[in-house]
């Protein structure tokens, strides 16, 4: 499907390409599409997808025709659509089953001389005919298509190997004496140097049997690697319970839901789309979307994401985004883009494979000519040439990188780490400096009550025991002050007031009613609670007892806001309100430093707040009061010093720094500008996802290197062995299939990759209050 664009603009179209079997096929499709003016294409063998960038004037039909002109099938698919199970798999299984039933007797009789009865070779010949024709038809068809377009692929090698083995066997049976009823043939692992009374029917049936089996298994594990994207696509709700203005509820298809409409989410149901809770309270299971194992409590005013599961009470939600604008849709698109892209290593492998097959054909012809010229028996020369053709199939080379990227991006999505493209993994592996924003990144970005100090207590930290807290001359305890102040602030809409009220409800339970509530802009709130006059206001200029004055100073030094509580006109307590660290921030920074990465704090907040957070997290380099322009300058300075920089942020003011870094990392809860400027998006609220992303990138690149080493090394070792006659064609087919399976299986290990860290359920929760070393 193509994006709509103005004439002359470039649009992106995704094509599902059928019939590709190796990296040489990828090169053919890309080359044919690239012949159209203004068109560039990237083809992914593992997903069978082509991402085509083309002028709006070039129709999808032209693109499809170009792919078909290269000898493959193509159809347009929605951009970001998941890779489905192959429709031809049942046919492949049936073809493999019949081929195996026919080929196994041939293999057994050819390899076990003791079982060779009279005229056994003619029985094998009869069984081999349908294998060579019908069982290998796909290889012959694609090889012929390639020859028509002056191109050679893996299918060319397989087809030539099968035809050469069977052709020589037919010649030996009919004209070379191998058809004598009493003929016995010993099996050899190498090229036989005997007389013409020798047939290679085991190679003629073994090559297609093992290649078909290898492809079927390979396709299954490749589809398992792409399962994350299909799972994401299936998460969304199919129906939604709309609530009308009159309170009436009706069930409608999700496609009819519009932004601004309210819908009901009952216990056990999925949230239909992104929205804001307007009524009710519940807990949401985010595990399928973010990887978090602990449900998150939500209530009126809280934002919720579509596809999360309601595990508590009923909710009424007002839709804020639908369709492609939802968080789930953005996640799916990001994963699809990442899996459609190519890493530099894959581009190199594709380029090598493009010339590899013609070179192999040349080598095979040279080997055949050399053996014949050296006076060797014709069947030995044919055996060596066929073995070269079969063993050199570049499947492993073409699959080495895309399967690893497919598995890694899928696993990253499950862990709440969304990779925009394969180049991001390469950049992430090289990062040596991580620059962190403070508010909303290392901290929750929400105001919370952090300390209560009464007039007789200079250390009223919330972690203390209320029973031992100081009081106001024995008149009022810390908890009582908080209860009265929370009752008044419960009527306030100010963020500080909401923080005080929330802490009071959590600590004291139900709050008393308020009479005569009044709010003065810029000053504070007041009211009568249980017969007492309660005022919560700024302490500016007020004469305070020493304990309260010290608490005000301490709050200012740590970047927090101090509010004064007066009871009946007397100073009773100072409440400190401020941003708190995200759960896991301390562990994340410690683990980053343990991996040899330098951490830098870069924030627009003042020096006091920045120093307090840096001290708690162990960050030595701090840049405070930084404007968006200054943030970009700091990043540029680090890069000019030879550093590879990743910036982690969530706000609009971080967008410039994110875009100017080697790698931008945004939180999905942040602004659209930050997400758009980043190459990596962290879906879950746990900042430790940054560490997981770095470790996953390193593991992925290590897997790719191992795959490429095996793919190149396999050919470098076995082609010479086949050329000198030390490898039977049937064994060459086994080795070729096992090589591809080994590469895909090694990549598949990334699907079960674990971060390798122990986290308690409390630490894993989103929005947890603990942010220190607990």
């Amino acid at each position: 499907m193509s994006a709509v664009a103005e004439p002359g603009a470039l649009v992106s179209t995704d094509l599902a390409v059928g019939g590709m079997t190796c990296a040489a096929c990828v090169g053919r499709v890309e080359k044919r599409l690239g012949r159209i003016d203004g068109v560039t294409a990237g083809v992914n063998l593992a997903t069978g997808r082509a991402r085509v960038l083309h002028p709006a004037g070039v129709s999808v039909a032209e693109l499809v025709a170009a792919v078909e002109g290269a000898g493959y099938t193509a159809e347009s698919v929605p951009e970001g659509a998941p890779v489905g199970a192959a429709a031809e798999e049942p046919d492949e299984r049936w073809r493999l089953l019949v081929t195996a039933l026919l080929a196994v007797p041939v293999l057994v009789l050819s390899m076990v001389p003791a079982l060779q009865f009279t005229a056994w070779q003619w029985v094998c010949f009869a069984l081999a005919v349908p294998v060579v024709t019908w069982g290998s038809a796909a290889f012959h068809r694609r090889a012929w298509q390639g020859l028509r377009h002056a191109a050679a692929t893996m299918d060319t090698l397989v087809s030539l190997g099968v035809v050469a083995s069977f052709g020589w066997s037919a010649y030996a049976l009919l004209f070379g004496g191998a058809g004598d009823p009493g003929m016995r043939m010993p099996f050899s692992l190498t090229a036989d140097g005997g007389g013409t009374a020798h047939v290679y029917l085991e190679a003629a049936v073994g090559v297609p049997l093992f290649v078909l089996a290898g492809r079927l298994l390979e396709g299954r594990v490749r589809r398992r690697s792409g399962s994350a994207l299909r799972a994401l696509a299936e998460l969304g709700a199919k129906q939604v319970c709309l609530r009308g203005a009159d309170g009436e509820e009706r069930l409608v298809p999700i496609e009819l839901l519009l932004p601004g409409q309210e819908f009901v989410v009952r216990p056990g149901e999925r949230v239909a789309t992104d929205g804001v809770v307007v009524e009710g309270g519940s807990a949401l299971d985010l595990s399928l979307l973010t990887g978090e194992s602990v449900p998150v409590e939500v209530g009126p005013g809280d934002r919720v994401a579509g596809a999360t599961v309601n595990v508590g009470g009923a909710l009424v939600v007002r839709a804020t985004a639908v369709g492609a604008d939802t968080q789930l849709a953005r996640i799916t698109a990001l994963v699809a883009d990442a899996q459609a892209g190519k890493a530099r290593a894959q581009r190199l492998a594709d380029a090598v494979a493009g010339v590899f097959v013609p070179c192999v054909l040349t080598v095979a012809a040279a080997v055949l000519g050399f053996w014949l010229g050296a006076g060797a028996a014709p069947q030995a020369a044919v055996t060596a040439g066929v073995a070269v053709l079969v063993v050199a199939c570049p499947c492993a080379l073409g699959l080495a990188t895309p399967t690893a990227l497919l598995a890694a991006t899928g696993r990253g999505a499950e862990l709440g780490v969304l990779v925009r493209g394969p180049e991001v993994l390469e950049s992430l592996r090289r990062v040596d400096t991580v620059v962190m924003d403070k508010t909303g990144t290392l901290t929750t970005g929400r105001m919370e009550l952090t300390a209560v100090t009464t007039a007789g207590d200079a250390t009223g930290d919330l972690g203390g025991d209320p029973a031992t807290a100081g009081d106001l001359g024995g008149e009022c305890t810390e908890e009582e002050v908080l209860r009265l102040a929370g009752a008044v602030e419960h009527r306030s809409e100010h963020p500080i007031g909401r923080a005080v009220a929330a802490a009071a409800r959590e600590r004291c339970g139900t709050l008393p009613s308020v009479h005569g509530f009044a709010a003065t802009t810029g000053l504070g709130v007041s009211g009568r609670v249980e017969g007492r006059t309660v005022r919560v206001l700024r302490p500016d200029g007020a004469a305070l007892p020493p304990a309260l004055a010290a608490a005000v100073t301490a709050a200012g030094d740590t970047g927090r806001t101090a509010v004064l509580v007066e009871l009946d006109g007397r100073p009773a307590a100072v409440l400190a309100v401020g941003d708190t660290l995200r759960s896991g921030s301390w562990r994340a920074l410690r683990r980053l430093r343990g991996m040899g990465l330098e951490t830098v704090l870069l924030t627009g907040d003042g020096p006091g707040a920045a120093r307090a957070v840096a001290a708690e997290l162990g960050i030595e380099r701090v840049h405070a009061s930084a404007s968006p322009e200054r943030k970009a300058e700091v990043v540029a300075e680090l890069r000019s010093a030879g550093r590879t920089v990743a910036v982690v942020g969530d706000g609009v003011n971080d967008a410039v720094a994110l875009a100017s870094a080697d790698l931008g990392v945004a939180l999905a809860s942040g602004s659209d500008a930050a997400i758009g400027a980043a190459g990596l998006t962290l879906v879950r609220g746990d900042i430790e996802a940054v560490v997981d992303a770095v470790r996953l990138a390193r593991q992925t690149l290590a897997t790719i290197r191992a795959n490429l080493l095996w793919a190149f090394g396999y050919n470098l070792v076995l082609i010479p062995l086949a050329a000198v006659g030390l490898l039977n064609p049937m064994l060459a087919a086994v080795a070729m299939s096992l090589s591809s399976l080994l590469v895909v299986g090694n990549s598949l290990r990334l699907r079960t990759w674990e971060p390798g860290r122990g986290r308690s359920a409390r630490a894993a929760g989103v929005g947890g209050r603990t942010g220190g070393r607990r």
Side-chain angles (χ1 to χ4, degrees):
M1 178 181 292
S2 299
V4 178
E6 297 295 329
L10 292 179
V11 296
S12 177
T13 295
D14 281 3
L15 298 177
V17 182
M20 296 190 300
T21 57
C22 65
C25 300
V26 169
R28 285 181 57 194
V29 175
E30 289 180 342
K31 185 176 180 181
R32 183 57 65 99
L33 286 169
R35 291 178 182 175
I36 304 175
D37 290 340
V39 173
T40 57
V43 180
N44 191 311
L45 177 62
T47 61
R49 294 289 173 85
R51 172 65 56 83
V52 187
L53 195 65
H54 59 96
V58 176
S59 67
V60 174
E62 292 179 75
L63 301 177
V64 170
V67 176
E68 292 175 344
Y72 304 90
T73 63
E75 62 177 341
S76 176
V77 294
E79 188 169 333
V83 180
E88 65 272 13
E89 183 175 344
D91 179 66
E92 291 178 354
R93 287 201 303 266
W94 172 247
R95 190 178 297 271
L96 174 62
L97 177 61
V98 174
T99 298
L101 291 175
L102 296 171
V104 169
V106 177
L107 294 173
V108 172
L109 289 173
S110 300
M111 297 171 66
V112 185
L115 299 179
Q116 294 172 359
F117 50 84
T118 301
W120 69 271
Q121 67 272 42
W122 290 103
V123 173
C124 289
F125 182 79
L127 293 173
V129 170
V131 175
V132 171
T133 53
W134 177 80
S136 304
F139 304 122
H140 301 322
R141 183 176 61 254
R142 286 191 286 260
W144 173 246
Q145 290 173 342
L147 291 176
R148 287 174 53 204
H149 297 91
T153 67
M154 168 189 166
D155 295 293
T156 307
L157 303 181
V158 173
S159 178
L160 285 176
V162 171
V163 170
S165 299
F166 183 78
W168 173 261
S169 299
Y171 169 79
L173 286 170
L174 297 173
F175 308 108
D180 295 342
M183 190 271 284
R184 298 292 185 269
M185 184 186 74
F187 175 73
S188 174
L189 297 177
T190 62
D192 194 333
T196 56
H198 197 107
V199 293
Y200 288 99
L201 294 173
E202 76 275 13
V205 299
V207 169
L209 173 64
F210 292 120
V211 175
L212 286 172
R215 284 191 179 174
L216 184 64
L217 293 173
E218 174 190 306
R220 286 185 177 181
V221 294
R222 280 160 56 182
R223 283 187 286 276
R224 283 182 59 195
S225 294
S227 62
L229 191 55
R230 292 194 300 275
L232 285 172
E234 295 168 359
L235 282 179
K238 303 299 185 289
Q239 292 182 314
V240 58
C241 183
L242 284 181
R243 189 176 77 163
D246 56 359
E248 183 181 352
E249 299 177 4
R250 57 192 178 95
L251 199 63
V252 300
I254 188 65
E255 293 80 9
L256 299 182
L257 179 63
L258 299 174
Q261 291 183 316
E262 295 181 357
F263 59 92
V264 179
V265 186
R266 295 183 175 84
E269 294 181 343
R270 293 190 186 279
V271 178
T273 192
D274 296 358
V276 176
V277 177
V278 294
E279 288 182 23
S282 183
L284 296 182
D285 180 1
L286 310 180
S287 59
L288 290 177
L289 192 60
T290 69
E292 291 296 343
S293 59
V294 180
V296 176
E297 297 291 335
V298 295
D302 290 334
R303 303 184 68 86
V304 296
T308 54
V309 180
N310 182 8
V311 295
L315 296 173
V316 177
V317 180
R318 180 183 300 111
T320 57
V322 297
D325 297 327
T326 64
Q327 184 176 344
L328 176 63
R330 291 198 301 268
I331 291 173
T332 304
L334 282 172
V335 176
D337 288 345
Q339 295 183 345
K342 287 191 177 186
R344 286 194 298 270
Q346 183 180 348
R347 291 192 289 268
L348 173 62
D350 289 347
V352 171
V355 298
F356 185 76
V357 175
C359 290
V360 169
L361 292 174
T362 302
V363 170
V367 167
L368 179 65
F370 174 80
W371 278 66
L372 292 174
Q379 75 270 16
V382 170
T383 301
V386 170
V388 170
L389 289 175
V390 174
V391 82
C393 293
C395 281
L397 188 63
L399 293 168
T401 300
T403 52
L405 292 174
L406 193 68
T409 51
R411 182 57 179 151
E414 293 175 351
L415 294 171
V417 178
L418 300 182
V419 181
R420 189 176 294 277
E423 69 283 351
V424 171
L425 289 173
E426 293 172 329
S427 299
L428 193 56
R429 180 182 61 88
R430 298 193 304 270
V431 164
D432 54 29
T433 304
V434 180
V435 177
M436 295 277 193
D437 174 46
K438 184 184 81 69
T439 305
T441 302
L442 292 174
T443 65
T444 63
R446 299 188 304 270
M447 301 294 281
E448 295 186 19
L449 184 67
T450 59
V452 178
T453 305
T454 62
D457 179 18
T459 58
D461 193 292
L462 283 177
D465 183 355
T468 62
D471 58 32
L472 187 59
E475 179 184 350
C476 198
T477 65
E478 174 187 315
E479 187 168 317
E480 184 66 11
V481 170
L482 182 59
R483 190 174 72 90
L484 297 174
V488 178
E489 290 287 19
H490 181 67
R491 302 281 296 274
S492 172
E493 293 298 323
H494 194 280
I496 292 178
R498 289 199 297 268
V500 172
R505 285 194 302 271
E506 180 180 338
R507 189 166 175 182
C508 307
T510 303
L511 301 178
S513 57
V514 181
H515 303 281
F517 173 82
T520 304
T521 303
L523 181 60
V525 296
S526 62
R528 288 192 62 80
V529 183
E530 297 179 342
R532 308 191 68 172
T533 300
V534 182
R535 298 179 66 203
V536 186
L537 65 159
R538 290 181 177 275
D540 300 341
L544 301 176
L548 300 187
V552 172
T553 302
D557 290 342
T558 57
R560 295 191 168 96
T561 301
V563 294
L564 174 65
V565 180
E566 289 186 353
L567 299 181
D568 297 325
R570 298 171 58 193
V574 167
L575 312 180
V577 179
D579 201 359
T580 57
L581 289 178
R582 280 184 180 272
S583 173
S585 290
W586 185 83
R587 288 187 303 275
L589 271 294
R590 181 188 62 182
R591 293 179 65 203
L592 286 171
R593 288 190 294 270
M595 295 168 65
L597 304 180
E598 182 178 359
T599 55
V600 178
L601 181 61
L602 180 59
T603 178
D605 283 359
R611 284 195 300 268
V613 169
E616 188 166 0
L617 296 177
I619 300 176
E620 296 182 358
R621 298 186 62 176
V622 180
H623 298 270
S625 303
S627 65
E629 293 77 14
R630 176 55 186 160
K631 289 185 176 184
E633 291 174 2
V634 171
V635 172
E637 291 167 4
L638 290 170
R639 295 185 67 192
S640 63
R643 294 281 186 173
T644 303
V645 181
V647 173
V648 185
D650 74 319
V652 174
N653 61 334
D654 300 318
V656 179
L658 290 167
S660 61
D662 294 285
L663 176 64
V665 182
L667 274 67
S669 58
S671 67
D672 290 340
I675 294 173
L680 198 74
T681 303
L682 308 180
V683 177
R684 71 179 198 243
D686 184 0
I687 197 66
E688 284 190 272
V690 176
V691 187
D692 296 344
V694 174
R695 294 189 65 240
L696 178 60
R698 291 181 176 182
Q699 184 63 44
T700 302
L701 271 297
T703 300
I704 290 174
R705 284 197 299 269
N707 285 350
L708 289 175
L709 179 63
W710 170 257
F712 280 110
Y714 154 84
N715 283 301
L716 288 176
V717 172
L718 293 189
I719 289 178
L721 290 179
V724 298
L726 296 179
L727 198 62
N728 181 285
M730 185 192 66
L731 297 181
V734 174
M736 184 271 295
S737 297
L738 289 178
S739 174
S740 297
L741 290 175
L742 180 64
V743 164
V744 176
N746 188 44
S747 298
L748 199 63
R749 292 167 54 234
L750 291 169
R751 289 285 289 113
T752 57
W753 179 84
E754 292 294 339
R757 54 189 172 88
R759 292 189 302 151
S760 66
R762 178 178 175 84
V766 177
R769 290 195 173 195
T770 57
R773 294 166 172 79
R774 286 173 277 184

